[in-house]
Amino acid sequence: MRKIQTWSKLALVSLATATLVACGGSDKAEETAKVEKKVETIEWKMVTTWPKNFPGLGTGAENLAKSINDMSNGRLNITVYAAGELVPPLEVFDAVSRGTAQMGHGAAYYWKGKAPAAQFFTAVPFGFTAQEINSWIHHGGGLKLWEEIYAPFNLIPMAAGNTGVQMGGWFNKEINSLEDFQGLKMRIPGLGGEVLKKVGGTPINLPGGEIFTSLQTGAIDATEFVGPYNDLAFGLYKAAKFYYYPGWHEPGSTMEALFNKEAFEALPQDLQLIVRAATRQANAEMLDEFTALNNSALQTLVNEHNVILKPFPADVLSALKKASDETLEEVASADPLSRKVYDSFKDFGSKVRAWHEVSERAYINGRETE
Ligand code: CA
């Protein structure tokens, strides 16, 4: 209570000073106006593809906005809009492109209808892990290509979060061979869905909010979502009991922040740097959060909800890998920019995999020996 009273007194003193200054003649009034101009706040809108308070992804967008506000000492104030509040989720790209909002938060594979090459910047089946895609984007030429894809749309992209390796999904029957995918109706968006189609399954694209009911009523036989943290929160264990790993279709999904080019370039240079630094920080922060929370949520699913955790059989993964390679080749053949991105992706991929054989894999295998 004492502290509050102290602050109240200080506030009163400030008010009194401000009044004196205002009455102190034209020089002082000019001085005050200059000070006020210096702390002028720029107001931005951020539209997102996420439902309100959506764990990890939506909260990641909220944290990014708060971080930019805090780091700029309130000079750049960003109001975040959940999916549907200002524009529908799949109109985020267009809304930022035309300047309805100055920035957006989502995932690049949502825009494959406008820019097919964008899909490489979210998740590629059997593609990069989080560590690898970050390395490609920031040190392997990826960001330059991503910027080239978005430039005709008046947009600037940045990586703004990563889920890490996702889970393979929830199934109401065991997957023992590729035959078990025949006729399987599974919610699986993006390139993973195309791969499922190639091995005889039926990919269904459902928004997050409809997954649980569809699985419980049998409208779908299986679903992927994110990982233990999100899947536990959605209660998916109540609708299917087999939980498969790994998430071959989304091995390190990158979230994106996208910026209206004119709005970004109109910012003073220090605010541009703050936006870049805060986005880079948000990119790392989301992966840290997912890694910690997935770990504890998986223990809860297995130990408290008796979920049956199973790996996909090796020959099933091998067949899915083959189908993925064919799918990627088809995507790359569709337009020159996709080919250019796929070539860079493959080139960097082969080099980083060679390094990870002698670093990550050798270390993780070595760590497990008794
Ligand atoms: Ca997913």
Side-chain angles (χ1 to χ4, degrees):
M1 187 52 88
R2 175 173 287 272
K3 204 165 192 182
I4 291 168
Q5 280 172 344
T6 310
W7 277 106
S8 302
K9 262 185 200 163
L10 271 176
L12 281 175
V13 170
S14 303
L15 266 179
T17 313
T19 312
L20 283 174
V21 168
C23 302
S26 61
D27 285 355
K28 284 202 172 156
E30 261 175 39
E31 202 63 33
T32 310
K34 269 188 204 160
V35 170
E36 277 171 7
K37 201 176 171 198
K38 261 192 189 164
V39 294
E40 189 184 15
T41 301
I42 298 169
E43 295 286 346
W44 268 19
K45 295 184 177 82
M46 184 205 288
V47 287
T48 76
T49 57
W50 319 118
K52 198 143 195 88
N53 300 323
F54 193 53
L57 308 177
T59 51
E62 296 272 357
N63 291 342
L64 172 57
K66 186 178 181 303
S67 176
I68 292 172
N69 192 348
D70 290 348
M71 287 166 83
S72 70
N73 199 20
R75 287 166 59 214
L76 180 53
N77 184 45
I78 300 172
T79 306
V80 181
Y81 295 87
E85 284 187 333
L86 193 62
V87 296
L90 298 184
E91 283 179 27
V92 163
F93 189 90
D94 286 343
V96 180
S97 174
R98 67 174 177 258
T100 302
Q102 291 76 17
M103 72 178 285
H105 193 282
Y109 66 179
Y110 292 139
W111 325 123
K112 68 172 182 178
K114 295 171 193 299
Q119 297 181 88
F120 288 95
F121 292 92
T122 304
V124 171
F126 295 96
F128 294 144
T129 63
Q131 194 175 339
E132 290 165 350
I133 197 168
N134 279 318
S135 180
W136 178 53
I137 288 172
H138 298 121
H139 289 274
L143 185 59
K144 205 159 174 283
L145 289 167
W146 198 2
E147 286 169 348
E148 186 181 337
I149 300 165
Y150 281 29
F153 301 96
N154 194 37
L155 292 167
I156 297 171
M158 292 178 205
N162 198 300
T163 63
V165 181
Q166 298 197 358
M167 286 293 284
W170 297 87
F171 295 77
N172 57 21
K173 64 170 187 181
E174 285 190 55
I175 301 294
N176 295 315
S177 74
L178 205 58
E179 284 295 298
D180 293 314
F181 280 111
Q182 292 299 315
L184 187 88
K185 284 182 288 177
M186 179 171 183
R187 183 268 182 187
I188 174 168
L191 290 165
E194 297 301 314
V195 176
L196 181 76
K197 205 190 291 174
K198 255 192 203 298
V199 298
T202 307
I204 313 273
N205 203 357
L206 288 175
E210 291 174 31
I211 296 175
F212 178 80
T213 310
S214 302
L215 190 59
Q216 202 174 39
T217 59
I220 54 173
D221 308 310
T223 186
E224 71 81 55
F225 190 37
V226 186
Y229 168 45
N230 292 90
D231 297 7
L232 173 66
F234 259 43
L236 295 175
Y237 61 90
K238 294 178 202 158
K241 63 177 176 176
F242 296 105
Y243 197 23
Y244 273 88
Y245 67 92
W248 56 272
H249 61 299
E250 293 197 57
S253 298
T254 297
M255 303 305 123
E256 72 174 2
L258 41 88
F259 299 86
N260 178 278
K261 193 165 178 286
E262 277 94 40
F264 184 79
E265 286 173 355
L267 292 176
Q269 179 142 32
D270 64 333
L271 285 184
Q272 290 188 20
L273 290 170
I274 283 173
V275 168
R276 285 195 186 276
T279 307
R280 189 78 183 258
Q281 184 212 26
N283 187 50
E285 170 61 22
M286 190 185 289
L287 181 63
D288 298 349
E289 183 188 9
F290 267 109
T291 304
L293 296 173
N294 275 333
N295 160 32
S296 56
L298 184 63
Q299 303 309 316
T300 305
L301 284 168
V302 172
N303 298 328
E304 291 177 28
H305 300 299
N306 304 316
V307 163
I308 301 169
L309 184 66
K310 290 183 85 77
F312 287 116
D315 59 338
V316 167
L317 280 179
S318 165
L320 289 167
K321 167 80 167 64
K322 191 168 170 283
S324 296
D325 290 343
E326 289 168 17
T327 303
L328 293 178
E329 191 52 49
E330 285 162 18
V331 170
S333 301
D335 71 287
L337 198 45
S338 292
R339 171 62 68 192
K340 193 172 165 185
V341 173
Y342 186 44
D343 284 349
S344 166
F345 173 90
K346 272 200 303 190
D347 178 56
F348 189 83
S350 66
K351 291 170 185 161
V352 82
R353 276 203 306 277
W355 162 238
H356 275 172
E357 280 302 313
V358 300
S359 56
E360 307 297 305
R361 193 203 296 278
Y363 170 68
I364 288 173
N365 288 347
R367 188 171 63 178
E368 298 314 314
T369 54
E370 291 296 323

